[in-house]
Amino acid sequence: MAHSPVPSSEDRRTIVCLYCDKAQEVSRRAMQITCKYCYKSLRVEDVLIKAYEARRVIDTCGMVVVEKRGHVVADRIRCSGLIVRGKVKAHVDSKGAVLVGPEADLIGDVTAPSLAVGAGAVLNGFYRINSPVETSSTTNPSI
Amino acid sequence: MADNQNEFPTIIGPDASFKGELTFEKGLKLQGKFEGRINTPGKLHIAREARMSADVESGTVIVEGEVKGNLIATDKIELKNSARYEGDLQASKLVVDEGASLVGHVQVGHDATKRPSPAGPVTTNRPVPGPNPGVSQPK
């Protein structure tokens, strides 16, 4: 079976490097790449968790999806987006939205540009939810 | 208009500035500045132009403006897209609109507001040591 060496534009997607924050196009079929700016190895596939998993880190430029029966215990999750329908106990650093479904648990610190929480979800941790353009300080000196 | 008056019989207008402790039953709409403490079983609405620096215990809190301080809501906290919130929050339910800013400890769930919280910031039994040096650690 012959593969064309250069994927077509529909076959590509843009990912943001977890280390240097620079965007680059990769093939949709790629599972792991080397960042062309910082030369770090990047996992780009989505991670689907359907059962209990204990890991030190989950680093991916794709999405992390924890299904209803999924339970993740990790030191750190770095991803481009997180969907929690089950349970997560980890420090989460997401480049995209974090969605916590109804009846889901998310225990640990969270840094993300946006957050959506379903009814009945349980959250516990230090949250930093800021759009990327914003500075870290939200204080107003006039208060 | 009449509905709004029923829902929020008390309004702190845009040119008003309040410093101190405030208690009310039904609802308060804050459009000006507030500094201090609020205690209510009702609804607190912090409008887009409002600035608040306070510790709040309330039934429902809707934030559209800038808030600094600890929020405890027995029912729900809503952070609208223009909300800028810095502090610790405890609530049964949390709604965060796209564009809202939130920095602080979050405790959400049925039991979040049932636990007696000591005076001062909320401390959580965080399993993962975070990179935030200013955050209180569990004993």
Side-chain angles (χ1 to χ4, degrees):
Chain A
M1 197 171 124
H3 287 284
S4 95
V6 181
S8 63
S9 59
E10 305 98 61
D11 215 17
R12 299 186 140 230
R13 64 173 171 148
T14 305
I15 58 121
V16 177
C17 176
L18 294 174
Y19 302 96
C20 67
D21 283 336
K22 285 189 176 139
Q24 57 201 293
E25 280 202 334
V26 298
S27 164
R28 282 194 190 277
R29 284 174 292 183
M31 296 168 84
Q32 194 156 9
I33 61 151
T34 301
C35 174
K36 64 181 178 185
Y37 301 103
C38 68
Y39 307 110
K40 289 268 202 296
S41 175
L42 298 172
R43 189 180 179 187
V44 293
E45 63 181 336
D46 294 344
V47 176
L48 183 65
I49 291 157
K50 292 181 173 176
Y52 176 80
E53 285 193 35
R55 305 224 204 145
R56 261 189 71 76
V57 290
I58 297 173
D59 281 356
T60 178
C61 294
M63 295 282 293
V64 174
V65 181
V66 182
E67 292 293 6
K68 203 158 188 179
R69 287 170 176 271
H71 183 178
V72 182
V73 178
D75 281 354
R76 187 187 70 210
I77 296 175
R78 271 200 293 193
C79 55
S80 72
L82 173 68
I83 298 172
V84 186
R85 297 192 185 101
K87 290 180 180 176
V88 172
K89 201 172 179 183
H91 171 70
V92 176
D93 190 349
S94 174
K95 304 260 179 233
V98 171
L99 311 176
V100 187
E103 311 294 326
D105 286 17
L106 177 51
I107 311 296
D109 302 344
V110 175
T111 304
S114 68
L115 172 73
V117 186
V122 175
L123 310 178
N124 196 343
F126 187 88
Y127 279 62
R128 190 176 288 275
I129 309 297
N130 270 328
S131 52
V133 286
E134 230 172 285
T135 55
S136 61
S137 170
T138 57
T139 53
N140 183 352
S142 67
I143 293 179
Chain B
M1 183 74 183
D3 275 357
N4 206 18
Q5 269 187 346
N6 281 341
E7 208 176 357
F8 301 106
T10 314
I11 294 172
I12 297 179
D15 64 339
S17 184
F18 186 101
K19 215 180 246 195
E21 195 167 334
L22 187 63
T23 306
F24 55 90
E25 280 298 313
K26 259 187 157 179
L28 165 75
K29 190 165 192 174
L30 175 68
Q31 294 172 324
K33 287 180 185 169
F34 186 96
E35 205 175 311
R37 185 181 284 269
I38 292 176
N39 209 319
T40 174
K43 210 171 186 179
L44 171 66
H45 185 174
I46 298 134
R48 189 182 282 254
E49 64 272 23
R51 305 280 178 269
M52 188 173 91
S53 176
D55 289 340
V56 176
E57 278 187 47
S58 174
T60 302
V61 183
I62 300 164
V63 183
E64 286 185 300
E66 274 191 38
V67 177
K68 206 175 171 190
N70 302 333
L71 299 182
I72 299 173
T74 49
D75 183 30
K76 187 166 75 174
I77 293 176
E78 274 187 65
L79 302 180
K80 301 287 188 189
N81 57 2
S82 56
R84 299 285 171 267
Y85 174 61
E86 200 176 312
D88 300 339
L89 70 82
Q90 288 179 18
S92 299
K93 284 173 254 169
L94 174 68
V95 179
V96 184
D97 284 2
E98 183 112 34
S101 162
L102 156 66
V103 180
H105 270 107
V106 173
Q107 263 186 285
V108 173
H110 297 300
D111 303 329
T113 52
K114 284 175 189 162
R115 266 174 258 160
S117 88
V122 181
T123 54
T124 54
N125 297 320
R126 294 183 305 127
V128 183
N132 312 296
V135 175
S136 57
Q137 294 292 322
K139 286 176 186 170

